[in-house]
Amino acid sequence: MSHCELEAVTKQINDKISVVRRLLELRAVAKDPDKRTYLIKIEQDVNAINGLLDRFERYVTQQKDLLKHLQDLDMFFQEDEQNALHLLKNIPPHMPRRGGQPTAQGGQTAAPSKQAEVNSAPQEQEQPRKPPRRLIKEMEFITVQEFDSIPQYMKGRVTYDQMNSAVKSINMAVTEKYKILQQPVKSLSNAARKLHQRFKDQETKDTKGQFFVVEEDLRDLAQMKVDKRFVGMLNMLRHCQRLKELRGGGLTRYMLL
């Protein structure tokens, strides 16, 4: 046995002897009625202190649990904040922005359309009472799942953002067209009246109550380049059931579904 172990054993024996000695002393004191009263009072105080210590221990345990819960919430909030910042920095170009201008195909800002020139022209005074206007339908944007479902031979090199940029430009052309059609002819300028008549000439019995545009509308109202690449995107939009084609009278009408 080492010197340190011997000292530890000696200390333990001495501590036990001290405890036994105190018990013997307290036993002798307990026989005295006057001192016994003090001992009982001390016992009550010790029990009360033990009760307080138990309550403090439970309270500390509750606070530890609450702290852990708050730390978990803080971690979740930090993750949500990082996700929100990521979304803010990666907003798709086709999504509308506050104070922003619509973008044409390819994500570039569209040049002023013919409708803007029409609006800037002097117009005759409108009638006091206007007939109720019909809400203009817009094509819904393509979701990621829908874009992924398009066959690769059909997509080619077209990206998801380019697809929705085309959707946005088509919606722009539809909106500009039917804004003119919904206005009283007498309230239109000469340029707008010509457009109004052109739009009317495009209609057939099959387009009644429908919203559609033709290639000329896309070029004039949304400054779109209707080329082979854009025709491919129109095929993809048909695949996603966003529009259908209606041919007749030398025109191809792209009707919104």
Side-chain angles (χ1 to χ4, degrees):
M1 181 179 294
S2 64
H3 177 69
C4 294
E5 291 176 346
L6 182 60
E7 286 186 351
V9 172
T10 302
K11 184 177 183 304
Q12 185 177 4
I13 293 174
N14 289 333
D15 290 342
K16 288 184 178 294
I17 293 172
S18 297
V19 170
V20 172
R21 184 178 294 130
R22 284 197 197 91
L23 289 175
L24 292 174
E25 291 174 355
L26 290 173
R27 184 178 180 184
V29 171
K31 294 179 180 180
D32 187 340
D34 295 333
K35 295 179 180 179
R36 183 177 179 83
T37 303
Y38 291 108
L39 287 176
I40 293 174
K41 182 64 170 64
I42 292 172
E43 180 184 11
Q44 293 173 348
D45 292 341
V46 170
N47 290 334
I49 291 173
N50 286 333
L52 288 174
L53 290 175
D54 291 340
R55 289 175 59 188
F56 281 131
E57 185 176 357
R58 289 194 298 271
Y59 180 75
V60 169
T61 302
Q62 293 174 358
Q63 293 302 308
K64 287 182 178 179
D65 294 339
L66 179 59
L67 177 62
K68 185 178 183 305
H69 179 64
L70 292 175
Q71 289 173 341
D72 292 340
L73 286 178
D74 182 63
M75 181 179 64
F76 292 144
F77 287 145
Q78 289 180 3
E79 291 179 357
D80 290 342
E81 183 181 16
Q82 292 175 359
N83 292 335
L85 290 175
H86 176 74
L87 291 174
L88 181 63
K89 294 178 181 178
N90 296 274
I91 298 177
H94 65 272
M95 296 296 291
R97 297 171 182 265
R98 181 179 298 176
Q101 295 181 349
T103 56
Q105 180 179 345
Q108 297 180 351
T109 303
S113 65
K114 185 172 293 186
Q115 172 62 13
E117 298 176 1
V118 172
N119 290 338
S120 62
Q123 299 183 2
E124 299 178 11
Q125 187 176 3
E126 296 182 358
Q127 298 296 329
R129 293 183 180 180
K130 299 180 182 179
R133 293 184 178 181
R134 180 183 173 196
L135 291 178
I136 300 174
K137 185 175 183 179
E138 288 191 350
M139 185 186 303
E140 293 183 358
F141 288 112
I142 301 297
T143 65
V144 176
Q145 291 79 7
E146 288 176 318
F147 184 76
D148 291 340
S149 71
I150 300 173
Q152 186 59 42
Y153 76 88
M154 190 180 294
K155 280 193 291 190
R157 296 184 179 180
V158 175
T159 66
Y160 173 74
D161 289 336
Q162 289 171 341
M163 273 290 295
N164 279 314
S165 178
V167 171
K168 190 170 185 178
S169 296
I170 293 172
N171 285 337
M172 184 195 310
V174 172
T175 301
E176 298 292 347
K177 175 179 180 177
Y178 284 91
K179 278 183 180 178
I180 295 176
L181 284 173
Q182 290 182 354
Q183 294 180 30
V185 178
K186 293 182 180 180
S187 68
L188 299 175
S189 64
N190 291 333
R193 287 182 183 181
K194 292 179 180 179
L195 287 175
H196 188 280
Q197 185 59 47
R198 190 183 87 187
F199 299 152
K200 283 293 185 181
D201 293 339
Q202 297 169 358
E203 295 180 352
T204 67
K205 62 179 182 179
D206 296 325
T207 64
K208 185 176 181 180
Q210 304 296 324
F211 294 90
F212 71 93
V213 288
V214 299
E215 291 185 5
E216 190 176 8
D217 299 335
L218 295 171
R219 285 192 293 265
D220 293 345
L221 302 178
Q223 301 298 304
M224 296 188 68
K225 183 179 180 182
V226 184
D227 53 10
K228 183 177 179 181
R229 178 169 170 271
F230 179 71
V231 172
M233 287 193 283
L234 291 176
N235 291 332
M236 287 186 274
L237 291 173
R238 283 193 302 169
H239 174 81
C240 295
Q241 299 182 354
R242 290 297 192 277
L243 56 79
K244 67 178 181 180
E245 291 184 4
L246 183 64
R247 299 176 185 270
L251 290 175
T252 300
R253 299 163 181 81
Y254 302 106
M255 192 176 303
L256 273 60
L257 295 178

